[in-house]
Amino acid sequence: MYNRQIRKYDSSIGLQGKKARNRLKRRFNTDRPYQKMVTDVSEYRYGKMGQDERVYLSPIKDLCSGEIVSFNISDHPTTEFVMKPLLELINK
């Protein structure tokens, strides 16, 4: 069943921190593990979830191997949710 999006998503709504500098400058390839890693937050609905029900995934990917080295899943996209996989990775 297809659910039509009622409102357009706008990531600029709400409080924002300061934007990080673009240190990669589109140079994504590397030959050293753990030198360059990227992350993103994705939202998903599954099963019989309604329009307002979502789960969020935040993986951290190593650009050397293409491997997901850490991740977190949550009901709410909070700062703690995003920082948890990063702190787990640092503590390994």
Side-chain angles (χ1 to χ4, degrees):
M1 177 182 223
Y2 176 75
N3 288 329
R4 179 173 223 129
Q5 186 75 14
I6 295 172
R7 61 182 163 74
K8 187 172 180 177
Y9 175 73
D10 185 0
S11 64
S12 66
I13 295 174
L15 297 175
Q16 293 183 4
K18 126 180 129 163
K19 287 188 178 179
R21 291 188 327 203
N22 181 3
R23 294 179 187 229
L24 289 179
K25 296 185 174 111
R26 302 193 62 79
R27 294 175 296 178
F28 299 111
N29 297 328
T30 181
D31 59 354
R32 290 184 240 158
Y34 301 103
Q35 180 189 38
K36 295 179 182 178
M37 292 187 282
V38 293
T39 188
D40 189 28
V41 175
S42 299
E43 64 177 39
Y44 298 95
R45 288 193 327 252
Y46 63 93
K48 296 185 179 187
M49 295 180 95
Q51 184 68 19
D52 296 331
E53 298 174 291
R54 291 172 170 58
V55 292
Y56 297 87
L57 170 67
S58 177
I60 296 179
K61 180 179 180 179
D62 182 4
L63 292 179
C64 176
S65 65
E67 178 183 2
I68 301 297
V69 292
S70 187
F71 70 93
N72 193 14
I73 299 172
S74 177
D75 293 336
H76 303 286
T78 62
T79 303
E80 180 182 333
F81 154 71
V82 174
M83 292 302 294
K84 183 179 176 186
L86 179 61
L87 295 174
E88 287 176 0
L89 188 59
I90 290 170
N91 292 327
K92 281 186 181 178

